[in-house]
Amino acid sequence: PLCSKRRTPRVCMGRGGGCSTSKAVSDQVQQSGAPTDPQTEPKSMPKVAIVYYSMYGHVKAMADAVKSGLEGAGCEATLLQVPETLPAEVLEKMHAPAKPEDVAIADPQVLPDFDGVLFGVPTRFGMCAAQIKSFMDATGGLWLQGKLVGKPAGIFFSTGTQGGGQETTALTFLTQFAHHGMVYVPIGYSSPKLMEMGETHGGSPYGAGCFAGPDGSRMPSELELAIAKHQGEYFAGVVKKLAA
């Protein structure tokens, strides 16, 4: 039987240019740095800021869990602590520990650089602490320029007691999102852990939460941290869809 060899396609280069195989041409194109198909280029991970205030470490522990969930779901997460407004001597009398030095101080002007923002908010009488409100009051320039319009946002919180603001803290904070035109992302009951009745725990459809106790001695439980991690994962899914 006759045998035939498979021939490599040849491409003519024009008068005086001779011919070369298509593979050779392909190699030349790749070596020349010609642009590749943008659909095949790797996309950068969405960036999410976790802006929080924590006096005794409860919200910081929740923020770490949220960060873990965000990163596990494919987002780049950055912790930012809002500036302290209380004098050092007052903090000392309140027995507040030193703030972590490895977490940058939040600057409102960097918020537009992120694809989404989650706020960690301790509760004071059913609404956000003054330190968080002071930070939000400094975002007036961003509001005037519409820099945060359409940016997804969420909230998690810490209260002293079960009736201390696990819902009202979020509800009263929604005005900040509304005036900035941000897209509020609640967690609903997307995690069955929120319906756990076997133990006392914080959290609500508005976001993850923990109970600190009236004297602040109770740290977030494993269940509360698990819900916080879930919030990070859930929020990451929304941010990735909006950033696509």
Side-chain angles (χ1 to χ4, degrees):
L2 296 176
C3 296
S4 61
K5 296 182 178 180
R6 179 176 296 176
R7 296 183 178 180
T8 303
R10 299 173 66 80
V11 178
C12 294
M13 308 299 290
R15 181 176 297 178
C19 296
S20 62
T21 65
S22 59
K23 181 179 184 305
V25 173
S26 176
D27 291 342
Q28 292 175 10
V29 170
Q30 292 180 5
Q31 293 174 6
S32 67
T36 58
D37 184 351
Q39 295 184 350
T40 63
E41 292 182 349
K43 296 181 179 180
S44 59
M45 291 190 298
K47 298 190 299 181
V48 176
I50 305 172
V51 180
Y52 76 93
Y53 175 74
S54 187
M55 179 175 286
Y56 295 108
H58 303 84
V59 177
K60 172 59 165 60
M62 297 286 284
D64 288 336
V66 169
K67 183 174 185 288
S68 174
L70 284 164
E71 292 175 339
C75 281
E76 179 183 336
T78 302
L79 291 175
L80 299 170
Q81 54 182 332
V82 304
E84 180 59 80
T85 59
L86 294 176
E89 56 269 23
V90 173
L91 292 171
E92 183 178 356
K93 291 179 180 179
M94 297 177 71
H95 306 288
K99 301 291 191 297
E101 297 181 356
D102 59 342
V103 178
I105 301 298
D107 178 356
Q109 299 306 313
V110 306
L111 295 185
D113 298 335
F114 293 90
D115 298 297
V117 186
L118 279 165
F119 292 89
V121 180
T123 301
R124 301 291 184 268
F125 302 107
M127 58 190 300
C128 74
Q131 290 85 348
I132 288 284
K133 186 59 170 64
S134 177
F135 175 82
M136 295 305 297
D137 287 348
T139 62
L142 300 178
W143 165 78
L144 188 62
Q145 301 175 67
K147 292 290 188 179
L148 301 180
V149 172
K151 201 174 292 293
I155 182 173
F156 56 96
F157 29 79
S158 171
T159 67
T161 61
Q162 288 174 276
Q166 291 283 317
E167 292 187 346
T168 60
T169 304
L171 282 170
T172 54
F173 202 74
L174 293 186
T175 58
Q176 313 296 315
F177 300 154
H179 281 259
H180 276 291
M182 303 180 83
V183 180
Y184 172 49
V185 183
I187 60 174
Y189 285 95
S190 55
S191 171
K193 290 182 172 63
L194 277 168
M195 301 181 186
E196 172 61 48
M197 299 296 290
E199 66 175 90
T200 301
H201 65 87
S204 70
Y206 300 93
C210 70
F211 296 135
D215 60 357
S217 61
R218 181 186 184 275
M219 294 303 291
S221 67
E222 290 300 319
L223 178 58
E224 290 167 337
L225 293 174
I227 296 173
K229 182 178 180 181
H230 167 75
Q231 181 169 6
E233 295 168 344
Y234 184 84
F235 191 78
V238 175
V239 171
K240 289 164 70 174
K241 289 179 181 178
L242 293 178

